[in-house]
Amino acid sequence: RKEVEQDPGPFNVPEGATVAFNCTYSNSASQSFFWYRQDCRKEPKLLMSVYSSGNEDGRFTAQLNRASQYISLLIRDSKLSDSATYLCVVNSGSSNTGKLIFGQGTTLQVKP
Amino acid sequence: NAGVMQNPRHLVRRRGQEARLRCSPMKGHSHVYWYRQLPEEGLKFMVYLQKENIIDESGMPKERFSAEFPKEGPSILRIQQVVRGDSAAYFCASSPGGRDGYTFGSGTRLTVV
């Protein structure tokens, strides 16, 4: 079983749609969770951290369910510029300092 | 405050040559991580270093690959006797530690011909 699993997609949605990505992780000791965005094989960029209480940043909402070891990202009112690969990222163990494990990524294509 | 600096951006090597990839972390960051991304694949962890110490090298191939982060200067990822299968994008990231995510450099695209 992969440490971080994501549906690779692609998700093809029209502008203005709401789209949700899910991710599961295998290490119950993990403490830090993130969503990164990667455009066209460029460097990944931090989109947002994910907290147990859930957090929102504009059109983006991230949620964490520790019991189910499940992370989600919701994008509302999709823009063309949201087209990218979204990476679910989890730290490898009980320490907050250490390697991050990346999922394969979910590809989103927003169409006009 | 410059971000994570990687050089070169592109590197072409013939089979059997050595490749040296450099990474200067963000100012104030003492943790450096190297990742490899093969074509059409996700990012795979290679090694985690702090100044003068390798903390976790569980993702490094057993042969030909080495990494260092000296007291002075950038972190270096060294690949000896490169083969075609080493062609990939190599990303370096740094962090100050704690709960913060990483900041990535622009990567080095290695092509072995």
Side-chain angles (χ1 to χ4, degrees), chain A residues 24-80:
Chain A
T24 57
Y25 61 96
S26 62
N27 187 346
S28 59
S30 295
Q31 294 290 328
S32 302
F33 310 90
F34 309 92
W35 283 100
Y36 275 73
R37 168 187 171 139
Q38 186 175 30
D39 293 80
C40 297
R41 313 293 287 182
K42 294 184 178 178
E43 75 271 25
K45 293 187 176 178
L46 179 64
L47 182 64
M48 57 198 306
S49 301
V50 187
Y51 304 118
S52 296
S53 55
N55 48 302
E56 187 173 309
D57 182 2
R59 298 182 293 108
F60 298 83
T61 300
Q63 295 203 309
L64 168 65
N65 184 322
R66 284 186 185 271
S68 302
Q69 294 179 209
Y70 170 97
I71 305 163
S72 66
L73 176 68
L74 184 76
I75 305 176
R76 289 180 299 277
D77 188 23
S78 300
K79 311 291 184 192
L80 294 175

Side-chain angles (χ1 to χ4, degrees), chain A residues 89-105:
Chain A
V89 185
V90 175
N91 84 313
S92 62
S94 57
S95 167
N96 281 325
T97 299
K99 67 188 183 191
L100 295 184
I101 305 300
F102 285 74
Q104 285 282 99

Side-chain angles (χ1 to χ4, degrees), chain A residues 2-16:
Chain A
K2 291 181 181 177
E3 290 186 75
V4 180
E5 294 208 58
Q6 293 181 252
D7 179 351
F11 284 61
N12 295 301
V13 303
E15 272 187 290

Side-chain angles (χ1 to χ4, degrees), chain B residues 47 54 60-61 63-68 76-80:
Chain B
V47 62
I54 296 175
M60 288 281 269
E63 297 177 347
R64 301 189 298 108
F65 285 72
S66 62
E68 63 177 7
I76 306 286
L77 179 67
R78 183 182 177 204
I79 311 172
Q80 294 178 291

